[in-house]
Amino acid sequence: MYGVKYKRNKIILLKPVSMQEPVDNVFCLDADNNIIWQVEDLREKYPHDRKMPYENMFYHDGILTVSTFIGVGYDINPDDGMIIRSHIVK
C-alpha cells in the first residue's frame, strides 16, 4: 500500500488491486484505522469512463491526484473523497 499523511491524524491510502478487480481503491483513514471515506465511485460522475483501479497517487497544492494504468487522472477532494475533475496524465 502507498499512503500520504493528511491533516495530522489522517492518512490517505492507495490499496493495490489487480485489473480483474476494478474497485475504488483509495481510502482515508483516521489515527485508529477507521475508514473516513472511500473515493467516489467513478461511474457516478463519469458514467462512460472505463472503470479501472487507480495505480498512482500524489498530493499537491491541497488536491489529491490519482491515475489509472491508461493515463487518466482524477483530482480528488482530500476532505471527502469526491472526484473534482478528470484529465490526461503522462
Side-chain angles (χ1 to χ4, degrees):
M1 283 194 204
Y2 173 72
V4 294
K5 286 188 178 181
Y6 175 67
K7 289 193 177 177
R8 295 190 335 203
N9 64 342
K10 297 177 185 170
I11 189 164
I12 300 174
L13 292 176
L14 174 67
K15 178 184 173 191
V17 295
S18 71
M19 294 292 290
Q20 288 73 37
E21 56 175 325
V23 296
D24 304 311
N25 58 316
V26 179
F27 301 86
C28 182
L29 306 176
D30 66 15
D32 296 319
N33 290 325
N34 297 308
I35 296 174
I36 297 169
W37 56 254
Q38 182 175 4
V39 70
E40 178 182 16
D41 186 331
L42 179 64
R43 290 173 286 200
E44 291 180 19
K45 189 159 224 124
Y46 301 102
H48 301 292
D49 280 13
R50 185 173 177 191
K51 183 151 172 134
M52 301 179 73
Y54 301 112
E55 68 163 22
N56 196 5
M57 174 178 76
F58 56 96
Y59 182 76
H60 58 97
D61 300 325
I63 299 293
L64 182 71
T65 298
V66 295
S67 61
T68 65
F69 174 76
I70 61 172
V72 179
Y74 298 92
D75 290 344
I76 308 295
N77 180 333
D79 291 326
D80 60 14
M82 301 301 286
I83 298 170
I84 299 168
R85 70 179 187 104
S86 71
H87 51 90
I88 303 300
V89 295
K90 293 184 177 186

